[in-house]
Amino acid sequence: GLSTIARDNPDDATMATTYTNHAGCPDSLAWMLVKKQNCFQQKRNGNTKRSGSIVLSAEPGNLKNMNSYKFSGLCNSKAVKMTVDEETTDDKTKVTISMGLKIKKNCSTKPSKSWSTIPLNKDFRRTAKCVVSQTEAQAYRTDLKDAALARWAALHRFAKVKKGLAKPAVVKKGRGGKDE
């Protein structure tokens, strides 16, 4: 929706609609409300700053799963998400990957309908070109291009392993793994 500034002054209507999210408030205010606590947060590795605690976020539209304003899918009116769907039938696994972009609709009561979905089912190079064209070339979120490409590469590798076309990545052990 439009803010009160846009209703009073129609010349500022474009600026107000650019920076409002589905809740009808500016993106920065929405971030201030949800940054400390929301249902998607996961706190790891200790309770204090000295012990190295980290706060992760599992919200849709967060490409790096970090609890930060830049990557937040809840608070930003423009966000990018990658989703994976698996179907197993008769000893075969079908993995489909799709990219979603937040669209400008008044979806305050149905946030799940505020995403447009683009299937990513071409080869690696063409799909990477599609991700770049949707994020950077259309000036949607140029700062998320690298994160979207990194997420796509990881999901593509996951899909190849699930289909049996590639081996899983080798996990390197730490320094204390001598008893193996």
Side-chain angles (χ1 to χ4, degrees), residues 92-153:
K92 287 189 178 181
T93 303
K94 182 179 180 186
V95 180
T96 56
I97 304 172
S98 60
M99 180 173 77
L101 302 173
K102 246 187 195 178
I103 54 176
K104 288 287 187 185
K105 260 196 209 174
N106 189 6
C107 296
S108 59
T109 58
K110 296 179 183 176
S112 64
K113 298 205 181 250
S114 65
W115 295 91
S116 69
T117 306
I118 302 165
L120 302 176
N121 52 9
K122 303 280 187 204
D123 62 350
F124 188 85
R125 186 178 46 84
R126 288 183 185 172
T127 305
K129 184 179 176 184
C130 174
V131 170
V132 170
S133 71
Q134 293 297 319
T135 56
E136 189 178 47
Q138 292 184 1
Y140 184 73
R141 284 287 302 269
T142 57
D143 57 334
L144 293 182
K145 180 192 82 157
D146 292 335
L149 285 173
R151 183 71 154 206
W152 155 247

